Amino acid sequence: MKEILQKHPRFLRLLDQLCEQTLDQDGADEISRIVKEDSAARDYYVRYLELHSSLHWDLAIPNTISTDEKNENQQPLQNDPRLKQLVESFIVEAALEPVNSSITTNDFAPSAQPPSSRKIIWRLATGLAFAVMVVGVWMLPRQNQQDQIVKQTTPETKIVAEKIVNNQTPGKNPESELPPKLPDIKWHQKREPVSTAGVDAKENKSQHDLISAPVLTDDNQVVAAINQRIKQGWTDQSISPSPVAEDHEWCRRVYLDLAGRIPTTTELERFLSDKRTERERRLVDRLLETPEFAMNWATRWTNLLVGRSPNERVDRLALLKYLRTSIAKNNPWSLVVSDLISANGNPKENGPANFLVAHLNNQAVPATAFVARTLLGTQIQCAQCHRHPFYETTQQQFWELNSFFKQAKIVSSSQMPAGMNKGQGTYLLTDQKIGGPTYYETRSGLMQVAYPRFNGHIVSDDKSVSRRQELAKLLVEGDDPLIAQSFVNRTWSHFFGYGFTLPIDDIGPHNPPSHPELFETLSRSFVASDYNIKRLVRWICLSKPYRLSSQSTPKNKQDTPQWGDPPAFAHMYFKPLSPEQLYNSLVEISGNYPRTTSEWIQHIDEREAWVLQFVDSLDNDENDESNHFQGTITQALMMMNGELIDQTISPDSNPLTAGLLNRSNSDLDKFEAVCLSILSRKPKPNEIVLFRKMIHQRRGLNNPAERKLLLAGQLEDAMWAYLNSSEFIINH
Amino acid sequence: MTDSPDNKSTTEDSASGHSDAPGAEFIDQFVATQRRVYLFILAQVGNPDLAEEVLQNTNVVIWSKWNNFEPGTNYIAWVYRIASFEVMKYRQKNKRSKVYFDDEFIKTVAKSVEQISEKSEARRLALSKCIDKLKPADRALIQQRYEPGVNGKSLAEKLGRPVNSVYQSLGRIRRVLLECVERELAAVTR
């Protein structure tokens, strides 16, 4: 120990910090470093932690010290009713776990959220377990003997038992068994029957095969199909949906989802006072035709396609403009996909070119992965180097798709011929006239060739053939291609927070969707509508599940997809506001929302800069990035102290507060106006109580100027509090 | 224990029910190894409450997989494998937790725990001797510290002592105990 102390004077203190849970990450890193480089320190660490755990285990469990005297009366272990109960509870729970032993041997049961009752039973039982352990040494030889006898005398039982075991799970020893043959993934146009994985899928399999998903062409029919299929899911799982959301909740939801911001008080009141039938349909239809919807949709897809991080070659705004125009013109999604895949030219002028310009680095590996994940909804990035762990996407297939991008090249201004050079810092996306296969290295170091091939179609590798144009054609072929499935799944998840598959970009036979028939109906109908984006959005927004409250009820509590179960859409899921939605909403509350085109351009510029503070580029092979926006400290600090918040709530810059101060309505109405403008609802009784208290504080002041000043401060405080509530930063 | 009729019926019950419930030997092994598994997990996750949670998850898997275990093979190795997966799963879920050890560290530690794990029973007996040898005040302090739900900070509040001085005392007592355990073990093996 002394030697360890000399070498690492802080080590012991760090260990104590670990035991007392006051260790920080730097300390953890230091422990890790010391333990890894010094074997004596490693032994000490392990012994110290063993001591710590023993003290926990032994002293934390009462009545363990005096059990020795009771040895004589100990019952055999398995006969103790409490232990029996414990074992049974574990077995029951184990049976409830969606274990799937037939997929891979490594696929142990996913850990469920531990119900609190389990903890209690477990606590109780460990006390017992320890008591048993103290005497266990004494008892063990005898127990073993008895077991031996049992084994010898009842061989038949054992064989029968083993047979049953073998029937239940292929192979009885997880270590020695090879995983079963995995389904082959194709870039398929026809879906494969749901055949593997998932207890639910097995149970419902026969149903799935019998019902063929109809292609629907009438909007009402599609909405009815959504309602019916989702309802069927509730019945199958014996859960009941939450009640319908309050009108103001739904109104806020649909504004955030379609217009990308919360509604103004006027817009909210217009909807609430509309008592005619089909007012939801009218609002959705109206919003779909606004420039804000186009902008919101284009923003979402710009982020998905090129990320938020700045890239000197990428002109995000050009891509945004292209997408905005596409949706405003109601261009089909298939056309957008073709444009993205086959675009050429200067990304500043030709918006869709930015997609590949952003990802062509590193032998187009990110481009291959991005096309597969973002447009085809399949994750093949790992197949770049090795066989896919869950389905048979081979390295060969990865490089075959990659081979389509072999001709694509980004030419910088210095490499351009004089006539085409548009000055420093410009780039061009071009196709080189080259042919031949792509070469790649297998894990064993062998060089292999891959020819451009997708979904069984081989494209000529002649240099005169533009491979990207060929790929664009192949992607949109068929009546249910992957680009449709992927787009439907993503769009659905934009509105519900969850798609039909978890994760949304991992579609395939290994990952059965939560509502297979509905998913298929939607994507086929979407194709039949000629990839009409607005119609797809309309179907979803007018469906009953989208109208439900976000509050779960005791009868649908288990519908909690963040635990990993397939979503049942029995209530609306919480969606955190995106940085862009939040920015738009704050600007709207502050009364500075853009009205004219030039104001919009400035608004987008400022928003891009503001959003960047939350984005980190991960700088990995797949050009991923993370955003620090989902309830992180950066976000919380911004919401509490950010400049934008100051601007939003200050009466000096916010016309709403300024107007309220000078209006002659009652003080309570003023607070109500604040609440309506931020949370789109009237204040709750407990909030009114608080407001009354605040109003009361001003009674003593006789000077009107002082009263006004205090009121201004109080309105500002109320706004600040509402903006910092989780109700505000969540779309619910 | 004598061969009372009760005992016999028990063993028969557990034998005939072999297909839907684990046998007595399995249950014994399960119970007897809980503590070792707990140590195995705690050394990797560092926090006793989390270790309990991971242990519970491990137990659920053990009970759902019990018929995959081949009697006669190394039970604890089988359980360690399951526990390793549960630790991994836990770590994947909680990458942003307060303190996060790197993967290599976890592997190194898991390996050493497996090595010392065989002597676990002897170490436990030595520890209980050593606790008896502590000064009464120290013994009381360490016992209070490891009562359920107590930590150094809450103990300091209860005793009205500065929290750092309590941390120091606890660290000192733990080191005394550890040295004592090592001495006891050395005395036994000599």
Side-chain angles (χ1 to χ4, degrees):
Chain A
M1 188 180 108
K2 270 178 198 150
E3 302 85 72
I4 295 172
L5 253 182
Q6 273 165 7
K7 268 201 242 164
H8 318 287
R10 276 167 47 83
F11 189 56
L12 297 184
R13 216 171 74 219
L14 290 170
L15 291 186
D16 280 333
Q17 286 178 358
L18 177 64
C19 290
E20 297 301 340
Q21 289 169 46
T22 54
L23 189 72
D24 58 13
Q25 187 57 48
D26 289 344
D29 291 343
E30 196 173 338
I31 290 185
S32 167
R33 184 179 54 76
I34 297 171
V35 162
K36 279 187 288 193
E37 71 182 26
D38 185 340
S39 67
R42 187 188 64 215
D43 288 348
Y44 195 83
Y45 171 87
V46 170
R47 281 171 204 176
Y48 204 76
L49 265 286
E50 189 203 30
L51 178 84
H52 181 52
S53 88
S54 291
L55 288 168
H56 249 288
W57 192 264
D58 298 352
L59 296 179
I61 315 294
N63 306 326
T64 51
I65 312 297
S66 59
T67 40
D68 289 34
E69 294 90 319
K70 295 186 199 153
N71 285 357
E72 300 295 322
N73 306 325
Q74 274 292 331
Q75 298 225 317
L77 283 178
Q78 69 277 23
N79 205 22
D80 188 295
R82 284 161 82 197
L83 187 63
K84 247 186 176 166
Q85 194 199 342
L86 167 77
V87 169
E88 273 160 19
S89 80
F90 273 131
I91 290 174
V92 168
E93 217 172 284
L96 290 175
E97 296 272 284
V99 180
N100 201 331
S101 47
S102 63
I103 287 297
T104 67
T105 50
N106 294 348
D107 183 25
F108 290 113
S111 47
Q113 294 278 330
S116 53
S117 62
R118 182 163 93 196
K119 185 137 188 161
I120 296 158
I121 300 177
W122 186 82
R123 262 289 179 202
L124 188 125
T126 42
L128 173 81
F130 181 74
V132 163
M133 221 153 48
V134 174
V135 297
V137 192
W138 182 83
M139 281 173 49
L140 265 177
R142 169 152 213 101
Q143 290 281 335
N144 286 344
Q145 256 176 15
Q146 284 178 345
D147 268 350
Q148 298 268 305
I149 296 162
V150 170
K151 274 177 202 149
Q152 281 159 10
T153 48
T154 57
E156 299 90 346
T157 343
K158 188 139 194 279
I159 290 164
V160 172
E162 273 182 1
K163 271 189 185 156
I164 294 166
V165 169
N166 283 338
N167 279 341
Q168 282 167 344
T169 53
K172 57 187 185 301
N173 187 349
E175 276 81 16
S176 66
E177 191 202 335
L178 283 170
K181 173 96 170 96
L182 295 161
D184 190 11
I185 190 161
K186 304 181 182 98
W187 305 106
H188 54 82
Q189 289 161 2
K190 279 217 170 123
R191 285 160 202 260
E192 311 207 347
V194 182
S195 58
T196 50
V199 179
D200 295 344
K202 264 181 207 157
E203 280 168 7
N204 297 334
K205 189 189 165 201
S206 51
Q207 284 179 21
H208 295 168
D209 287 350
L210 291 175
I211 304 165
S212 63
V215 179
L216 303 171
T217 50
D218 177 76
D219 283 359
N220 290 331
Q221 282 180 350
V222 184
V223 174
I226 297 177
N227 296 345
Q228 193 254 325
R229 286 294 174 201
I230 296 289
K231 192 178 163 197
Q232 184 64 45
W234 300 333
T235 316
D236 291 349
Q237 295 185 38
S238 338
I239 56 178
S240 308
S242 289
V244 166
E246 300 278 343
D247 290 344
H248 64 81
E249 279 178 302
W250 186 82
C251 182
R252 182 181 193 265
R253 181 183 299 165
V254 81
Y255 266 92
L256 278 168
D257 283 339
L258 295 183
R261 59 168 174 88
I262 57 173
T264 64
T265 314
T266 324
E267 287 165 336
L268 178 70
E269 273 163 3
R270 194 192 302 160
F271 175 72
L272 294 180
S273 59
D274 185 352
K275 298 295 178 203
R276 294 170 294 167
T277 53
E278 300 216 307
R279 55 184 178 153
E280 280 97 349
R281 180 184 301 271
R282 273 194 302 282
L283 179 56
V284 168
D285 284 349
R286 196 170 61 73
L287 285 175
L288 281 174
E289 297 311 318
T290 55
E292 285 181 279
F293 168 71
M295 183 62 89
N296 181 43
W297 184 87
T299 305
R300 224 183 238 283
W301 273 94
T302 302
N303 291 340
L304 279 170
L305 291 169
V306 298
R308 289 184 174 105
S309 321
N311 177 338
E312 55 148 353
R313 297 178 176 191
V314 174
D315 187 340
R316 281 174 47 88
L317 296 184
L319 178 60
L320 184 76
K321 192 176 164 197
Y322 160 78
L323 291 169
R324 190 167 53 86
T325 320
S326 296
I327 185 100
K329 282 204 239 159
N330 221 353
N331 283 346
W333 175 245
S334 52
L335 182 64
V336 176
V337 170
S338 302
D339 284 352
L340 292 171
I341 296 290
S342 58
N344 270 321
N346 183 346
K348 288 186 171 39
E349 291 159 5
N350 187 16
N354 284 288
F355 175 53
L356 284 180
V357 165
H359 305 302
L360 269 183
N361 54 323
N362 189 14
Q363 215 192 332
V365 163
T368 313
F370 248 78
V371 167
R373 225 173 65 188
T374 320
L375 301 179
L376 305 175
T378 50
Q379 302 205 4
I380 59 164
Q381 58 274 26
C382 51
Q384 175 199 348
C385 313
H386 54 81
R387 181 174 274 261
H388 195 287
F390 302 133
Y391 49 68
E392 298 246 314
T393 301
T394 54
Q395 219 184 341
Q396 179 79 17
Q397 279 169 299
F398 180 90
W399 290 102
E400 281 169 359
L401 180 60
N402 179 270
S403 190
F404 280 100
F405 301 105
K406 184 185 169 80
Q407 296 165 327
K409 189 168 178 8
I410 302 170
V411 186
S412 70
S413 52
S414 54
Q415 298 163 293
M416 274 180 236
M420 292 175 65
N421 197 335
K422 300 220 169 164
Q424 201 64 31
T426 52
Y427 297 90
L428 282 183
L429 176 60
T430 57
D431 270 342
Q432 296 172 295
K433 289 256 181 268
I434 51 171
T438 300
Y439 296 91
Y440 67 94
E441 200 174 318
T442 65
R443 290 189 73 188
S444 53
L446 276 176
M447 280 310 260
Q448 296 280 344
V449 291
Y451 291 92
R453 191 164 90 148
F454 182 79
N455 200 14
H457 297 273
I458 301 170
V459 169
S460 158
D461 66 332
D462 191 87
K463 65 181 178 181
S464 66
V465 175
S466 165
R467 295 190 188 180
R468 287 193 289 137
Q469 280 179 15
E470 292 302 315
L471 178 63
K473 281 185 216 157
L474 290 175
L475 287 178
V476 302
E477 240 174 42
D479 51 13
D480 190 17
L482 276 174
I483 59 158
Q485 296 179 24
S486 170
F487 186 79
V488 165
N489 202 27
R490 263 187 203 281
T491 306
W492 183 275
S493 85
H494 290 169
F495 289 89
F496 284 98
Y498 287 91
F500 296 111
T501 62
L502 285 174
I504 49 169
D505 49 11
D506 194 13
I507 301 171
H510 61 291
N511 191 11
S514 60
H515 297 76
E517 313 91 350
L518 175 59
F519 186 21
E520 195 172 341
T521 295
L522 279 178
S523 69
R524 284 173 176 275
S525 304
F526 176 58
V527 176
S529 76
D530 192 22
Y531 295 87
N532 189 317
I533 301 166
K534 283 185 190 170
R535 279 184 70 189
L536 174 64
V537 170
R538 184 181 288 119
W539 299 337
I540 295 173
C541 285
L542 295 178
S543 70
K544 281 185 182 157
Y546 185 72
R547 192 66 177 77
L548 294 180
S549 162
S550 56
Q551 295 299 315
S552 58
T553 66
K555 284 182 177 167
N556 60 36
K557 232 174 159 180
Q558 71 261 49
D559 180 19
T560 317
Q562 64 261 39
W563 293 356
D565 294 331
F569 307 104
H571 58 94
M572 179 49 72
Y573 306 120
F574 294 138
K575 293 169 289 190
L577 298 198
S578 71
E580 290 85 4
Q581 283 172 325
L582 184 59
Y583 185 87
N584 291 348
S585 301
L586 289 173
V587 170
E588 192 226 283
I589 294 169
S590 75
N592 302 316
Y593 200 67
R595 305 285 164 211
T596 64
T597 312
S598 62
E599 277 175 9
W600 262 105
I601 293 170
Q602 195 197 345
H603 173 79
I604 300 285
D605 271 349
E606 286 168 4
R607 188 179 74 186
E608 293 271 303
W610 184 84
V611 165
L612 263 188
Q613 64 184 317
F614 305 109
V615 178
D616 271 347
S617 166
L618 293 181
D619 212 14
N620 61 9
D621 274 356
E622 281 104 46
N623 291 7
D624 281 345
E625 60 188 22
S626 67
N627 94 58
H628 288 249
F629 207 70
Q630 303 189 340
T632 57
I633 291 180
T634 330
Q635 185 192 357
L637 285 174
M638 182 282 297
M639 289 302 291
M640 288 191 285
N641 314 318
E643 207 178 307
L644 180 64
I645 297 291
D646 278 351
Q647 279 175 18
T648 308
I649 62 176
S650 158
D652 300 335
S653 55
N654 188 336
L656 169 73
T657 9
L660 283 175
L661 281 174
N662 297 322
R663 224 184 297 164
S664 60
N665 58 356
S666 80
D667 285 349
L668 212 51
D669 286 348
K670 289 176 180 156
F671 283 110
E672 186 179 299
V674 165
C675 187
L676 271 172
S677 74
I678 294 177
L679 298 181
S680 312
R681 62 162 172 81
K682 293 196 168 167
K684 291 179 180 165
N686 56 343
E687 292 162 4
I688 294 176
V689 170
L690 280 175
F691 293 148
R692 281 190 200 284
K693 275 189 192 158
M694 287 165 87
I695 295 167
H696 196 76
Q697 286 173 2
R698 294 203 309 278
R699 290 236 170 113
L701 295 175
N702 292 321
N703 181 344
E706 262 182 62
R707 287 177 64 112
K708 195 171 164 186
L709 201 66
L710 185 57
L711 175 65
Q714 288 177 339
L715 288 176
E716 204 178 320
D717 288 350
M719 283 190 125
W720 187 89
Y722 276 137
L723 288 175
N724 277 286
S725 66
S726 44
E727 192 177 344
F728 175 67
I729 58 164
I730 284 171
N731 184 1
H732 41 82
Chain B
M1 234 182 322
T2 53
D3 274 332
S4 70
D6 273 346
N7 279 345
K8 265 185 191 160
S9 70
T10 316
T11 46
E12 273 159 22
D13 279 349
S14 62
S16 59
H18 202 278
S19 59
D20 52 15
E25 191 187 358
F26 188 89
I27 297 176
D28 288 349
Q29 283 173 325
F30 172 77
V31 171
T33 51
Q34 281 287 288
R35 170 206 183 86
R36 280 164 74 183
V37 182
Y38 179 69
L39 159 68
F40 180 75
I41 296 167
L42 180 68
Q44 296 176 66
V45 301
N47 173 329
D49 293 335
L50 300 181
E52 272 187 26
E53 205 179 307
V54 176
L55 176 61
Q56 287 184 58
N57 292 336
T58 305
N59 285 341
V60 170
V61 178
I62 292 174
W63 288 108
S64 71
K65 296 270 171 185
W66 67 269
N67 55 16
N68 283 339
F69 174 69
E70 186 120 24
T73 58
N74 190 342
Y75 175 82
I76 189 80
W78 182 73
V79 171
Y80 279 161
R81 253 179 69 94
I82 294 175
S84 293
F85 273 104
E86 288 304 315
V87 170
M88 203 172 77
K89 221 177 322 172
Y90 165 78
R91 283 163 54 77
Q92 277 170 355
K93 261 204 209 155
N94 296 279
K95 282 210 166 133
R96 291 211 203 123
S97 65
K98 191 177 146 205
V99 172
Y100 192 79
F101 286 117
D102 55 281
D103 292 343
E104 197 193 331
F105 173 81
I106 296 289
K107 264 190 215 154
T108 316
V109 167
K111 220 165 124 193
S112 339
V113 176
E114 282 191 46
Q115 282 163 5
I116 74 156
S117 160
E118 277 155 31
K119 279 194 188 164
S120 138
E121 191 49 34
R123 298 178 71 83
R124 195 191 61 73
L125 290 173
L127 175 62
S128 86
K129 268 193 203 168
C130 291
I131 291 179
D132 287 343
K133 282 188 193 167
L134 284 176
K135 282 186 286 182
D138 284 354
R139 189 163 59 233
L141 189 72
I142 201 91
Q143 270 169 354
Q144 283 176 347
R145 158 65 181 84
Y146 283 95
E147 264 171 32
V150 175
N151 58 33
K153 203 175 153 206
S154 66
L155 179 62
E157 278 161 20
K158 192 175 141 198
L159 300 176
R161 281 176 56 184
V163 70
N164 276 331
S165 97
V166 172
Y167 284 161
Q168 270 177 11
S169 306
L170 290 172
R172 176 181 53 78
I173 300 170
R174 276 194 291 257
R175 282 188 284 279
V176 167
L177 281 175
L178 187 55
E179 276 176 57
C180 170
V181 167
E182 301 294 332
R183 268 202 311 275
E184 287 284 334
L185 282 183
V188 170
T189 44
R190 220 175 272 147

